[in-house]
Amino acid sequence: HANNEIGTIEPIKEISKVVKKTGVYFHIDSVQTTGHIPIDVNDLGVDMLSMSGHKFYGPNGVGALYLRKGIKIVTLIDGGSQEKNRRAGTENVAGIVGLGKAAELAEKRLVKGAEDRVVKLRDKLIKGIMDKIGNVRLNGHPTNRLPGNANFCFEFIEGESMLLSLDMEGVAASSGSACTSGSLTASHVLLAIGLPHEIAHGSLRLTLG
């Protein structure tokens, strides 16, 4: 639904219209967006949707899969009848309850417009960096992006050097996705959008919440 590095929100509704013409099921990964922007599966036209609790202040190690009524999927783990015969094994009850509560609180935050404040902070951060620092570019869509995501590339400096300097100042940041935090190679996402290796190596991702 949205890229976890550069924050761009994809045009899922438009993609769905194309997919539906082929007659296949449409699944989206909404791990980055659930709890942060409004999601209506009917409006988006998706058949399946995945989410992860820790991305909206729920517990680690638990997620959920939305299936449109009538869709059948292959059993992930055979054995017991848990989760409607889709995944055998004792359910993580504490995690499930925590996920449900986190989703409930996330919905209340969205209704109250809490993410609007995050967007304002994000835009202020982006403007401040772009105005005060030279040889920097914003990665991803300028406005149609995750509320708390700001991703930049700085010329003439390695991302790892920036992370070390920021860490010494008490600022937590990353130079790519959390999934590849131990890698020193350039981000495949930045390379895919056409950035040369020397620029992609100077990436910095800041996330607000």
Side-chain angles (χ1 to χ4, degrees):
H1 194 183
N3 187 271
N4 61 326
E5 285 191 42
I6 61 176
T8 300
I9 299 174
E10 305 297 343
I12 297 299
K13 191 172 182 178
E14 289 73 14
I15 295 173
S16 173
K17 292 176 181 178
V18 176
V19 171
K20 293 299 181 183
K21 293 178 182 178
T22 68
V24 301
Y25 291 139
F26 186 31
H27 167 268
I28 66 168
D29 174 352
S30 73
V31 167
Q32 297 294 324
T33 51
T34 299
H36 300 287
I37 64 174
I39 296 176
D40 184 331
V41 291
N42 292 318
D43 182 58
L44 292 176
V46 302
D47 300 303
M48 295 171 281
L49 177 149
S50 300
M51 66 185 77
S52 183
H54 75 286
K55 290 295 185 179
F56 51 97
Y57 309 112
N60 283 321
V62 63
L65 172 66
Y66 160 79
L67 293 174
R68 187 174 294 282
K69 188 175 181 179
I71 290 181
K72 298 184 183 299
I73 60 173
V74 176
T75 299
L76 180 64
I77 301 176
D78 289 304
S81 60
Q82 291 89 348
E83 301 191 45
K84 298 183 178 180
N85 294 306
R86 297 187 179 108
R87 187 180 188 276
T90 303
E91 290 104 333
N92 175 11
V93 177
I96 293 169
V97 172
L99 174 69
K101 187 62 178 180
E104 178 187 326
L105 294 174
E107 182 182 22
K108 290 180 179 178
R109 286 197 305 272
L110 286 174
V111 171
K112 291 180 179 178
E115 290 296 323
D116 295 340
R117 175 177 175 273
V118 177
V119 169
K120 290 178 181 178
L121 290 173
R122 178 204 69 194
D123 291 346
K124 183 177 181 179
L125 173 64
I126 291 174
K127 186 177 187 304
I129 289 177
M130 299 295 288
D131 288 349
K132 297 179 181 180
I133 302 176
N135 301 303
V136 59
R137 60 162 284 155
L138 175 69
N139 298 315
H141 195 280
T143 56
N144 191 34
R145 61 190 304 127
L146 291 169
N149 177 286
N151 188 297
F152 307 92
C153 273
F154 298 84
E155 295 185 48
F156 316 120
I157 186 171
E158 288 280 341
E160 194 70 16
S161 299
M162 287 188 286
L163 294 185
L164 291 172
S165 297
L166 288 170
D167 184 56
M168 292 176 67
E169 296 297 328
V171 178
S174 68
S175 60
S177 71
C179 307
T180 58
S181 58
S183 174
L184 295 178
T185 59
S187 161
H188 71 280
V189 173
L190 298 180
L191 296 178
I193 62 174
L195 296 185
H197 278 78
E198 60 271 20
I199 300 296
H201 268 296
S203 67
L204 178 72
R205 184 181 68 158
L206 299 170
T207 306
L208 305 172

